[in-house]
Amino acid sequence: MTLSEPEGPAPDENMELASLSHNDVTILAETFRLLGDPSRLKIMLYCMQGASAVGEIAENLDLSQSLVSHHLRLLRGARLVKGERQAKQIFYEVADSHVSQVLLDMAHHIVEEHNDD
């Protein structure tokens, strides 16, 4: 995965964030809670590489197919991934560029040099 340079929010976006409803904040918190599980986060990062079937994800991440299916159901319910049926399999990928950008921005955040002064 190549990390592109993150961009900060535009001033208008800051206003939108300040006006989120209580329900929107609750949904946002639940979204981050879902991403807080290491297995789900690995699945998300894997799905950023392109559409993949459950078996491929399970094999490459050394997880059981049933666990991957369970996590994908939760991630799909939160609109973080989308699935496309092709014959008897469903191929999953990150839902949209917003989701990818959040993951990329956080990856940048954890790998940047820390100045703890």
Side-chain angles (χ1 to χ4, degrees):
M1 164 177 42
T2 303
L3 300 178
S4 59
E5 285 301 314
E7 296 178 17
D12 289 344
E13 290 175 4
N14 286 330
M15 288 298 293
E16 290 175 23
L17 293 175
S19 64
L20 287 175
S21 71
H22 176 73
N23 187 55
D24 290 338
V25 171
T26 301
I27 292 169
L28 185 60
E30 175 63 15
T31 300
F32 281 109
R33 186 192 67 76
L34 283 171
L35 293 173
D37 179 272
S39 293
R40 281 194 287 266
L41 187 54
K42 284 184 201 177
I43 292 168
M44 289 295 301
L45 294 172
Y46 191 84
C47 287
M48 286 178 67
Q49 299 173 34
S52 302
V54 173
E56 178 187 342
I57 297 167
E59 184 178 326
N60 282 285
L61 298 180
D62 198 27
L63 299 169
S64 72
Q65 283 196 15
S66 61
L67 181 62
V68 170
S69 291
H70 172 72
H71 285 317
L72 285 167
R73 182 176 51 81
L74 296 173
L75 294 168
R76 194 176 64 238
R79 299 182 312 139
L80 296 172
V81 297
K82 61 183 176 182
E84 182 180 318
R85 180 172 295 280
Q86 295 180 12
K88 291 185 177 186
Q89 290 186 311
I90 300 176
F91 289 80
Y92 293 91
E93 62 186 334
V94 173
D96 61 39
S97 62
H98 297 112
V99 175
S100 296
Q101 194 60 53
V102 167
L103 294 171
L104 284 169
D105 286 347
M106 291 311 295
H108 276 290
H109 178 73
I110 63 164
V111 298
E112 67 188 7
E113 290 190 33
H114 299 283
N115 191 359
D116 295 337
D117 297 299

